[in-house]
Amino acid sequence: MNKSENNKIHTIAYFLDYGKYFGGAVNTLLQQALLMKKAGCLVIIFLSDYYGRNMELEYKEICSQYDIKILYETFQISSQPEDIDVICLDENYDALKEKIQEVSPDILHSVQINPMAELIGRELGIPHIMNIYPLLSEFFSIRYMDIFPHYHICDSWYWAKRWKQYLNTDYTCIRTTVNMNACIKQPIVSGEKVKYICVGDIYENKNQLNIIKAFHTALNAGAIGHLDFFGYDGRTYAEECKNYIKWNDLTEYISIEGFCSNMKEIYRRSDVLICGSKRESYPNVISEAMAFGLIIISTPVAGVPEVVKDGINGYLSDDYTAEAISRKILEFNKDIGNKKLENIRQCVYETFMKNHYPEVVAENLKQYYFHVISDAKRKPDISIIDIRKAFSVWKSIYYQNYSAFSEPQIVAVKIWYLFHAKEYIESAVYNKARFFVWGAGKFGRSVVEMVGIFFPKIIISGFLDSKKTGRFFSYKIYKPEEILQKENVIIFVAAVRGQNEMIKRLEQNNYIFNRNYFIFSPRVW
């Protein structure tokens, strides 16, 4: 960092993720990188080859267009503090540190939790910022070693303040921006046939089924229009949505179009965006829709009420139910042709310019970078030396038994979690608890292997599975209801598919995460 030039930002290294199937968080960070490139900074993008070297053509073309250098290195990121690959961290730290030293950035900026970049930043004296959004409070029911970033950019104050609670972050809120020929002011909606859209992968937290039901109710009450859904539709939940449309004869009014690579044209010919999400930070689709002058109908999820004000610049439902969403669709429908809707559309334009306009976002970003560079707070003490010392025995055990693991990568990602949960698990052993693995499949097998190697005193009493019967690895398979209400039982969750349903049942039976149930398969949330 060149402190002699008033902390001017010369070079920024951005750490995206694995290069394929970028989600909203990566797109947000990429847009921030483009803004700083336009501002005259040297921008370097690091992509991880943790899962192979993949990058979709669209993003390669963007980086080529803006003359942004892409470097592949091996690092792992996580959206939560449990599934951190401490083996990857240890073994690839020095190579990434050398590469960072070569490019000599003033700031490191990562998507999600990137412990490797954080620890390298601490060692080299380079501040490291993370972009991260929702969390679950239960993530921090274990006290982890502090390898987490302490500078945080969020797209909502709602989640920024919650990360502050757990990681003591220095934070700011910077809204999302778009690179889509923004601020196209469309004509006022007419009552002929309103074009509604809903954008985003179709799954439970996006709440599309309730949007469909809400639109169905609104149609029955006299609303006129057509609703199209755009987003990945390969999950079981999407089939539920399609079946509802089919069984209620709604194909003339509602359609699920799947993923669309040219949303610009979709926004241009649409009137209203409906966002029904139950868990978000601040949906990027809202800033995209505002850029094209669409009216917003949204649930009050997380940071949305910070920007969208009901009856002022959009329509905000009271909750996430179909009934609440339907009321707002009908309210909007009643306002068509009235002065109120003209005023709302003008406020949409003003809201976009204030919160999402690229120059505004760029200035907010630069100001936070300047703050981070000049911040003189005491930095965390934990370093790569401490991590290597703490995990040396665990790493040795892992490699000594490598051939015994059917899925070594699954084990590698769980060593960090096992290390920190060890106290609670060994306490259960001391108290003569009975241990069961929930999930008689691939992950169940890995859990048996992990437990046998890292906790040899544990005797597995059996498996739980709702569909399978008989035996699995010589262990009896029980129905969950046979075991969950028994006392002094510890459950190791060993499944990805259906994991949320397992957790719900455990908590209905008064199980507490990281006390009498633990998630040993990759975390789904």
Side-chain angles (χ1 to χ4, degrees), residues 210-224:
N210 271 340
I211 294 175
I212 292 168
K213 291 178 179 178
F215 198 71
H216 186 190
T217 300
L219 290 171
N220 288 339
I224 300 172

Side-chain angles (χ1 to χ4, degrees), residues 457-477:
K457 293 182 180 179
I458 291 178
I459 298 173
I460 302 294
S461 297
F463 277 81
L464 307 186
D465 202 290
S466 298
K467 297 179 180 178
K468 297 180 180 178
T469 58
R471 306 190 78 81
F472 187 72
F473 281 102
S474 77
Y475 298 100
K476 183 177 178 180
I477 299 175

Side-chain angles (χ1 to χ4, degrees), residues 475-495:
Y475 298 100
K476 183 177 178 180
I477 299 175
Y478 297 87
K479 295 295 182 187
E481 54 270 22
E482 295 181 75
I483 302 299
L484 292 184
Q485 294 185 6
K486 295 184 181 296
E487 294 184 359
N488 202 19
V489 165
I490 302 295
I491 304 293
F492 296 146
V493 174

